[in-house]
Amino acid sequence: MLATVIHAARDIRVESVPDPELSTGGDAIVRVVASCVCGSDLWPYRGITPTREPHRIGHEFVGVVEEVGDDVERIGVGDFVIAPFYVCDNSCINCRNGVSTSCLHGGWWGSDDRLGGFADGGQGERVRVPLADGTLVAVPGEVADDQVPGLLTLSDVMGTGHHAAVSAGVGPGDSVAVVGDGAVGLCAIIAARRLGATTIIAMSRHPERQALARDFGATHIVAERGEVGIKAVQELTHGIGADRVLECVGTKESMDQAIRSTRPGGMVGYVGAPNGGPELPVRPLFNRNIGVNGGVAPVRGYIEELLPDVLSGAIQPGRVFDLELPLAEAAEAYAAMDERRAVKVLLRP
Ligand SMILES: [Zn+2]
C-alpha cells in the first residue's frame, strides 16, 4: 500500500510500504477515507524535531473497518470509524480518569505498539489499529461524503479545542479569549460557544481566519498582540481581562499573552503543544489568582459527546479544512501548511 514517510526536514514522500496485518486478536485494519496534516506534523517538517531515520507520519484519520481480530467486540467490519490521535484501551485507570492520552497500554500512530505490532501512520491507505475496541469510535448510520471533514476533526483539532474550553472551565455567560487562529484555535471558539460563553474574543491577524472565527461564534476580533492586545481584551471585558483564556499555540509568547489576558481569578486552558520553552511565571499567577489547566488533549473521551453535534450540523468544525489533496500530494500539503497557504489540509487516499 501507499503511505507517507518523512525522510528528513522538508522531505515528505508517499511510497510503497508493507500492507498492515492483524497480529493480536484485539486489533483492526482500517481503510483510510480521509486523513490530514496536523500543526504538530510541521515540527519534524521544519526540522525543529530532528528526523533521525525515515519514519511514517500522520495521526488523524477516519475510515472504514476492513478486518477485525477475533477478540474485537465493539467494532465490526464495515463500520465507519473515527480514530483519536493516539491508541488507548479506554478502560485502564488513566482512561477512566479521563486521561486516555496517558493510557497504561496506549501508544502512538507510526510506531510499534506494546505487543510489538506496528500501528501505521494515519497518512496512508490503511492502518493497523491496536486495541481497536478502545481506540476507535464507530459512527452510527451511513456517512455522507460531506460529513467526512467534520468527523475527521474529532480525531484531534475539535476535541483539542474542546479540551481547552473544558480545562479553562468555560460555562454559560463567560467571557473567553482565544489565543491562536489555527485549526485548534478556531475549534476552541466553536467549543466555547457550545459551552455557553457569550463574549468570545478571537485573537487573530488574518482576515480569512477572522471571518471563519466570526462564523464559529467569535463576538469580537483582536488583531493586536502583546501589550496592545492585552489592553484590547481588557476593554471588552470590564477592564479586567477575560474569565477564561484558551491558549492554542504553545509558544512562550502565546502563553504569556494568554496569562496576561486573563482576569484576576480566571483560568487559562492550554492545549498548544509546548514549543520554544513556555514556562509559568508563578509569582504573577499567585498575585492575581490565575489558574492554568490543560495539556495534551484526551480527545478519545470527547468523541461520543461531540459526535451528535457534528452529525446534526449544530457545529461545523470541518470548515477548518481549506484545502483538499490526494494522498499522493502529501508533500504539497505540508508545504501549503508550512507556508500558511492553508489552515489545514485534508488528504484522500
Ligand atoms: Zn487506558
Side-chain angles (χ1 to χ4, degrees):
M1 67 163 185
L2 294 174
T4 307
V5 177
I6 181 165
H7 284 256
R10 298 183 192 281
D11 186 358
I12 297 283
R13 304 180 203 173
V14 175
E15 52 194 48
S16 216
V17 301
D19 285 327
E21 287 176 13
L22 297 175
S23 63
T24 62
D27 44 8
I29 307 294
V30 172
R31 174 177 60 79
V32 175
V33 170
S35 65
C36 50
V37 182
C38 180
S40 65
D41 291 332
L42 296 180
W43 299 0
Y45 183 77
R46 290 170 173 160
I48 295 166
T49 308
T51 298
R52 293 191 178 83
E53 54 189 35
H55 63 83
R56 305 273 284 281
I57 189 163
H59 56 255
E60 300 167 39
F61 64 96
V62 295
V64 175
V65 176
E66 288 197 327
E67 294 176 64
V68 294
D70 294 339
D71 305 330
V72 175
E73 295 175 349
R74 287 183 51 258
I75 299 295
V77 171
D79 285 352
F80 188 101
V81 289
I82 301 166
F85 63 83
Y86 54 90
V87 170
C88 65
D89 62 10
N90 206 33
S91 60
C92 76
I93 183 77
N94 286 337
C95 286
R96 282 183 279 129
N97 281 335
V99 202
S100 51
T101 38
S102 294
C103 177
L104 296 173
H105 308 107
W108 307 97
W109 303 117
S111 60
D112 285 341
D113 67 23
R114 298 188 189 216
L115 297 172
F118 184 67
D120 299 82
Q123 294 162 8
E125 291 184 316
R126 285 180 176 71
V127 174
R128 174 184 164 270
V129 177
L131 304 174
D133 274 336
T135 303
L136 297 173
V137 176
V139 178
E142 289 292 307
V143 171
D145 202 51
D146 62 1
Q147 290 179 305
V148 168
L151 296 172
L152 180 56
T153 66
L154 295 177
S155 251
D156 189 343
V157 289
M158 184 60 225
T160 297
H162 180 69
H163 187 57
V166 168
S167 297
V170 173
D174 280 345
S175 60
V176 174
V178 178
V179 180
D181 62 0
V184 171
L186 291 165
C187 287
I189 292 168
I190 295 174
R193 181 164 79 170
R194 186 177 168 278
L195 293 170
T198 45
T199 298
I200 303 176
I201 303 162
M203 304 194 76
S204 169
R205 295 194 285 205
H206 306 88
E208 327 78 59
R209 299 181 189 211
Q210 292 173 354
L212 195 50
R214 285 205 184 270
D215 284 356
F216 282 170
T219 54
H220 302 82
I221 304 287
V222 167
E224 297 83 6
R225 294 192 190 172
E227 201 62 48
V228 182
I230 292 160
K231 286 230 160 50
V233 171
Q234 289 172 342
E235 277 166 21
L236 296 167
T237 52
H238 311 288
I240 55 174
D243 298 320
R244 318 283 161 195
V245 179
L246 313 185
E247 192 288 307
C248 303
V249 182
T251 61
K252 191 174 188 322
E253 292 73 22
S254 62
M255 184 60 95
D256 178 68
Q257 187 86 60
I259 290 168
R260 294 170 67 210
S261 300
T262 307
R263 70 159 166 83
M267 180 76 85
V268 174
Y270 80 106
V271 293
N275 187 13
E279 288 182 6
L280 294 180
V282 174
R283 187 79 211 188
L285 294 174
F286 176 87
N287 287 348
R288 299 174 62 234
N289 275 275
I290 288 172
V292 177
N293 190 27
V296 58
V299 299
R300 170 63 184 84
Y302 297 138
I303 295 176
E304 282 102 337
E305 178 185 348
L306 297 170
L307 181 57
D309 284 0
V310 171
L311 289 174
S312 73
I315 59 175
Q316 299 185 328
R319 293 180 62 197
V320 299
F321 292 105
D322 53 353
L323 179 61
E324 185 173 319
L325 293 171
L327 175 66
E329 292 176 37
E332 165 57 13
Y334 278 77
M337 281 180 61
D338 177 49
E339 295 161 20
R340 296 181 76 88
R341 287 184 276 120
V343 175
K344 195 163 177 72
V345 185
L346 186 145
L347 292 169
R348 297 228 188 213

